[in-house]
Amino acid sequence: IFYLSRTLTKNSTAAVFASGAYVLSWFITFTVYFQAYLSNFLIYASLPWFVLLYDQAVKERCLKKALGASLVLALCITTNPQVALKVAFIGGGWVLLKTPSGYWRSMLKVSGVIALGALWVAAFNIISAILVREEALSVSYRRNGYTDPFTFVIIPLYALNLLSGLVVEFRFLR
């Protein structure tokens, strides 16, 4: 948090204050003890890293940092999609307010890479979980179905193929 605050504000005193406020926040320290809030705590803890990677990806026009931000956002989506929207809006709002006028095209490109990358990575996890759920046994339902391992990959791959066909008119699956 200190590094993020110092990078964004260019002030060491403000960075120390922000780090202390984040670590000692009553909301975070109070709700971390409840099991229902652990996923939200993970998401809020990853928020500064998402904002930092997003901001640096726009300013430096760096694909690696954009992909890092999309991985953080994908983790948030698979943990709790409703809170992940807050992360995306807070990060997007911060970058929108801090982006100089010459970086608007870069911001739009990076935002697209982050959104598509996060949704694509999260789709692998969500679709796999839905398909594996069919194999679970419950008391009232005694079917143990078989799910082909290739189906975990084919649906997100098809979506990527469709998207690449729309954007750059290139399809790798016919």
Side-chain angles (χ1 to χ4, degrees):
I1 302 299
F2 177 79
Y3 177 74
L4 171 68
S5 302
R6 188 161 179 234
T7 301
L8 297 176
T9 63
K10 308 286 192 246
N11 187 340
S12 298
T13 307
V16 169
F17 181 76
S19 299
Y22 182 77
V23 171
L24 301 175
S25 169
W26 70 269
F27 177 75
I28 291 175
T29 55
F30 178 72
T31 58
V32 75
Y33 293 113
F34 295 104
Q35 189 173 9
Y37 294 109
L38 286 178
S39 63
N40 293 352
F41 178 69
L42 171 68
I43 293 172
Y44 287 129
S46 64
L47 173 64
W49 299 110
F50 174 72
V51 173
L52 178 67
L53 287 169
Y54 191 3
D55 188 52
Q56 288 181 346
V58 170
K59 288 179 181 171
E60 299 172 13
R61 296 184 174 127
C62 180
L63 181 63
K64 289 181 183 178
K65 292 184 180 179
L67 292 176
S70 70
L71 287 176
V72 172
L73 189 59
L75 174 73
C76 296
I77 291 170
T78 56
T79 305
N80 188 342
Q82 292 176 340
V83 182
L85 286 174
K86 293 177 188 175
V87 169
F89 286 134
I90 290 171
W94 176 267
V95 172
L96 186 65
L97 291 174
K98 291 293 185 176
T99 301
S101 61
Y103 290 90
W104 288 104
R105 293 180 87 168
S106 174
M107 187 196 80
L108 291 175
K109 289 178 185 178
V110 167
S111 299
V113 166
I114 290 172
L116 291 176
L119 291 173
W120 188 59
V121 170
F124 275 104
N125 195 5
I126 292 169
I127 291 170
S128 299
I130 290 171
L131 293 175
V132 170
R133 185 183 71 177
E134 293 177 5
E135 295 184 8
L137 292 175
S138 66
V139 175
S140 63
Y141 190 68
R142 295 282 182 178
R143 180 181 163 261
N144 190 5
Y146 171 74
T147 303
D148 185 25
F150 189 65
T151 57
F152 293 151
V153 177
I154 194 65
I155 297 174
L157 194 61
Y158 178 73
L160 179 66
N161 178 49
L162 184 66
L163 182 69
S164 67
L166 293 173
V167 174
V168 294
E169 297 179 2
F170 171 75
R171 290 191 178 187
F172 50 89
L173 294 176
R174 301 263 177 215

Short mmCIF file of all heavy atoms in Angstrom, two decimals, residues 96-124:
data_model
loop_
_atom_site.label_atom_id
_atom_site.label_comp_id
_atom_site.label_asym_id
_atom_site.label_seq_id
_atom_site.Cartn_x
_atom_site.Cartn_y
_atom_site.Cartn_z
N LEU A 96 -9.23 7.03 -15.03
CA LEU A 96 -9.89 8.05 -15.83
C LEU A 96 -9.56 9.45 -15.32
O LEU A 96 -9.28 10.36 -16.11
CB LEU A 96 -11.40 7.83 -15.82
CG LEU A 96 -12.24 8.72 -16.72
CD1 LEU A 96 -11.91 8.44 -18.19
CD2 LEU A 96 -13.71 8.49 -16.47
N LEU A 97 -9.56 9.61 -14.00
CA LEU A 97 -9.25 10.93 -13.43
C LEU A 97 -7.77 11.29 -13.55
O LEU A 97 -7.43 12.47 -13.67
CB LEU A 97 -9.66 10.96 -11.95
CG LEU A 97 -11.16 10.93 -11.68
CD1 LEU A 97 -11.41 10.82 -10.18
CD2 LEU A 97 -11.84 12.15 -12.25
N LYS A 98 -6.89 10.29 -13.50
CA LYS A 98 -5.45 10.55 -13.52
C LYS A 98 -4.81 10.48 -14.90
O LYS A 98 -3.63 10.74 -15.03
CB LYS A 98 -4.74 9.55 -12.59
CG LYS A 98 -5.03 9.77 -11.13
CD LYS A 98 -4.44 11.08 -10.69
CE LYS A 98 -4.59 11.27 -9.21
NZ LYS A 98 -3.95 12.50 -8.76
N THR A 99 -5.57 10.12 -15.91
CA THR A 99 -4.99 9.98 -17.25
C THR A 99 -4.84 11.34 -17.91
O THR A 99 -5.81 12.08 -18.05
CB THR A 99 -5.88 9.07 -18.12
OG1 THR A 99 -5.98 7.80 -17.50
CG2 THR A 99 -5.30 8.91 -19.51
N PRO A 100 -3.62 11.67 -18.33
CA PRO A 100 -3.43 12.93 -19.07
C PRO A 100 -4.13 12.87 -20.43
O PRO A 100 -4.46 11.79 -20.93
CB PRO A 100 -1.91 13.02 -19.25
CG PRO A 100 -1.33 12.06 -18.27
CD PRO A 100 -2.35 11.00 -18.05
N SER A 101 -4.32 14.01 -21.03
CA SER A 101 -5.11 14.07 -22.27
C SER A 101 -4.47 13.31 -23.42
O SER A 101 -5.16 12.84 -24.31
CB SER A 101 -5.34 15.52 -22.66
OG SER A 101 -4.08 16.15 -22.90
N GLY A 102 -3.18 13.13 -23.44
CA GLY A 102 -2.52 12.44 -24.54
C GLY A 102 -2.58 10.92 -24.44
O GLY A 102 -2.14 10.22 -25.35
N TYR A 103 -3.13 10.41 -23.37
CA TYR A 103 -3.13 8.96 -23.14
C TYR A 103 -4.52 8.33 -23.28
O TYR A 103 -4.72 7.20 -22.86
CB TYR A 103 -2.59 8.65 -21.75
CG TYR A 103 -1.12 8.90 -21.59
CD1 TYR A 103 -0.65 10.13 -21.18
CD2 TYR A 103 -0.19 7.91 -21.86
CE1 TYR A 103 0.70 10.38 -21.03
CE2 TYR A 103 1.15 8.13 -21.72
CZ TYR A 103 1.59 9.37 -21.29
OH TYR A 103 2.93 9.59 -21.15
N TRP A 104 -5.48 9.02 -23.86
CA TRP A 104 -6.85 8.49 -23.92
C TRP A 104 -6.94 7.23 -24.77
O TRP A 104 -7.63 6.29 -24.41
CB TRP A 104 -7.81 9.55 -24.45
CG TRP A 104 -8.05 10.63 -23.45
CD1 TRP A 104 -7.53 11.89 -23.47
CD2 TRP A 104 -8.83 10.55 -22.27
NE1 TRP A 104 -7.94 12.60 -22.37
CE2 TRP A 104 -8.76 11.79 -21.61
CE3 TRP A 104 -9.60 9.54 -21.69
CZ2 TRP A 104 -9.40 12.05 -20.43
CZ3 TRP A 104 -10.25 9.82 -20.51
CH2 TRP A 104 -10.14 11.05 -19.90
N ARG A 105 -6.27 7.23 -25.90
CA ARG A 105 -6.31 6.03 -26.76
C ARG A 105 -5.65 4.85 -26.05
O ARG A 105 -6.13 3.73 -26.12
CB ARG A 105 -5.62 6.30 -28.09
CG ARG A 105 -6.37 7.31 -28.93
CD ARG A 105 -5.67 7.54 -30.20
NE ARG A 105 -6.14 6.51 -31.14
CZ ARG A 105 -5.91 6.54 -32.41
NH1 ARG A 105 -5.19 7.53 -32.92
NH2 ARG A 105 -6.37 5.61 -33.20
N SER A 106 -4.56 5.13 -25.37
CA SER A 106 -3.87 4.08 -24.62
C SER A 106 -4.77 3.54 -23.52
O SER A 106 -4.83 2.34 -23.27
CB SER A 106 -2.57 4.63 -24.03
OG SER A 106 -1.97 3.68 -23.18
N MET A 107 -5.49 4.44 -22.84
CA MET A 107 -6.38 4.01 -21.77
C MET A 107 -7.49 3.12 -22.30
O MET A 107 -7.83 2.10 -21.70
CB MET A 107 -6.99 5.21 -21.05
CG MET A 107 -7.78 4.81 -19.82
SD MET A 107 -8.87 6.10 -19.22
CE MET A 107 -10.22 5.93 -20.31
N LEU A 108 -8.06 3.47 -23.44
CA LEU A 108 -9.13 2.65 -24.01
C LEU A 108 -8.62 1.28 -24.44
O LEU A 108 -9.27 0.26 -24.22
CB LEU A 108 -9.77 3.37 -25.19
CG LEU A 108 -10.60 4.61 -24.83
CD1 LEU A 108 -11.07 5.31 -26.09
CD2 LEU A 108 -11.76 4.24 -23.94
N LYS A 109 -7.44 1.23 -25.03
CA LYS A 109 -6.86 -0.05 -25.44
C LYS A 109 -6.54 -0.92 -24.23
O LYS A 109 -6.85 -2.11 -24.22
CB LYS A 109 -5.59 0.18 -26.26
CG LYS A 109 -5.85 0.73 -27.64
CD LYS A 109 -4.53 0.96 -28.36
CE LYS A 109 -4.75 1.63 -29.70
NZ LYS A 109 -3.47 1.90 -30.38
N VAL A 110 -5.92 -0.33 -23.23
CA VAL A 110 -5.56 -1.08 -22.02
C VAL A 110 -6.82 -1.55 -21.31
O VAL A 110 -6.89 -2.69 -20.83
CB VAL A 110 -4.67 -0.23 -21.09
CG1 VAL A 110 -4.54 -0.84 -19.71
CG2 VAL A 110 -3.30 -0.05 -21.71
N SER A 111 -7.84 -0.72 -21.24
CA SER A 111 -9.10 -1.11 -20.61
C SER A 111 -9.73 -2.30 -21.33
O SER A 111 -10.25 -3.21 -20.70
CB SER A 111 -10.07 0.06 -20.58
OG SER A 111 -9.54 1.13 -19.85
N GLY A 112 -9.67 -2.28 -22.64
CA GLY A 112 -10.20 -3.41 -23.41
C GLY A 112 -9.43 -4.69 -23.17
O GLY A 112 -10.01 -5.77 -23.01
N VAL A 113 -8.10 -4.58 -23.13
CA VAL A 113 -7.27 -5.76 -22.86
C VAL A 113 -7.57 -6.31 -21.47
O VAL A 113 -7.71 -7.53 -21.29
CB VAL A 113 -5.77 -5.42 -23.00
CG1 VAL A 113 -4.89 -6.50 -22.42
CG2 VAL A 113 -5.43 -5.18 -24.45
N ILE A 114 -7.69 -5.43 -20.50
CA ILE A 114 -7.96 -5.88 -19.12
C ILE A 114 -9.33 -6.54 -19.03
O ILE A 114 -9.48 -7.62 -18.45
CB ILE A 114 -7.85 -4.69 -18.14
CG1 ILE A 114 -6.39 -4.26 -18.01
CG2 ILE A 114 -8.41 -5.06 -16.77
CD1 ILE A 114 -6.18 -2.99 -17.23
N ALA A 115 -10.34 -5.93 -19.61
CA ALA A 115 -11.70 -6.48 -19.54
C ALA A 115 -11.79 -7.83 -20.24
O ALA A 115 -12.31 -8.80 -19.69
CB ALA A 115 -12.70 -5.50 -20.12
N LEU A 116 -11.28 -7.90 -21.47
CA LEU A 116 -11.36 -9.16 -22.21
C LEU A 116 -10.52 -10.25 -21.56
O LEU A 116 -10.95 -11.40 -21.47
CB LEU A 116 -10.91 -8.95 -23.65
CG LEU A 116 -11.86 -8.12 -24.51
CD1 LEU A 116 -11.26 -7.89 -25.88
CD2 LEU A 116 -13.21 -8.80 -24.61
N GLY A 117 -9.33 -9.89 -21.10
CA GLY A 117 -8.48 -10.89 -20.44
C GLY A 117 -9.10 -11.41 -19.16
O GLY A 117 -9.09 -12.62 -18.89
N ALA A 118 -9.67 -10.52 -18.37
CA ALA A 118 -10.29 -10.94 -17.10
C ALA A 118 -11.51 -11.82 -17.35
O ALA A 118 -11.69 -12.85 -16.69
CB ALA A 118 -10.67 -9.72 -16.28
N LEU A 119 -12.34 -11.43 -18.29
CA LEU A 119 -13.53 -12.24 -18.58
C LEU A 119 -13.16 -13.59 -19.16
O LEU A 119 -13.79 -14.60 -18.85
CB LEU A 119 -14.46 -11.48 -19.52
CG LEU A 119 -15.15 -10.26 -18.92
CD1 LEU A 119 -15.91 -9.50 -19.99
CD2 LEU A 119 -16.06 -10.66 -17.78
N TRP A 120 -12.14 -13.62 -19.99
CA TRP A 120 -11.74 -14.87 -20.61
C TRP A 120 -11.16 -15.84 -19.58
O TRP A 120 -11.50 -17.01 -19.55
CB TRP A 120 -10.75 -14.58 -21.73
CG TRP A 120 -10.41 -15.77 -22.56
CD1 TRP A 120 -11.27 -16.54 -23.29
CD2 TRP A 120 -9.12 -16.33 -22.73
NE1 TRP A 120 -10.58 -17.54 -23.92
CE2 TRP A 120 -9.26 -17.44 -23.60
CE3 TRP A 120 -7.85 -16.00 -22.26
CZ2 TRP A 120 -8.18 -18.22 -23.98
CZ3 TRP A 120 -6.78 -16.78 -22.66
CH2 TRP A 120 -6.96 -17.88 -23.50
N VAL A 121 -10.27 -15.35 -18.70
CA VAL A 121 -9.69 -16.20 -17.66
C VAL A 121 -10.76 -16.65 -16.67
O VAL A 121 -10.80 -17.81 -16.26
CB VAL A 121 -8.53 -15.48 -16.94
CG1 VAL A 121 -8.06 -16.24 -15.72
CG2 VAL A 121 -7.37 -15.27 -17.89
N ALA A 122 -11.65 -15.74 -16.30
CA ALA A 122 -12.72 -16.11 -15.36
C ALA A 122 -13.67 -17.12 -15.98
O ALA A 122 -14.22 -17.98 -15.28
CB ALA A 122 -13.48 -14.86 -14.92
N ALA A 123 -13.87 -17.06 -17.30
CA ALA A 123 -14.76 -18.01 -17.96
C ALA A 123 -14.24 -19.44 -17.82
O ALA A 123 -15.02 -20.37 -17.64
CB ALA A 123 -14.92 -17.64 -19.43
N PHE A 124 -12.93 -19.63 -17.89
CA PHE A 124 -12.38 -20.96 -17.70
C PHE A 124 -12.75 -21.52 -16.33
O PHE A 124 -13.19 -22.66 -16.21
CB PHE A 124 -10.86 -20.95 -17.84
CG PHE A 124 -10.38 -21.07 -19.24
CD1 PHE A 124 -9.91 -19.96 -19.91
CD2 PHE A 124 -10.40 -22.28 -19.89
CE1 PHE A 124 -9.47 -20.06 -21.21
CE2 PHE A 124 -9.95 -22.39 -21.19
CZ PHE A 124 -9.49 -21.27 -21.86
#
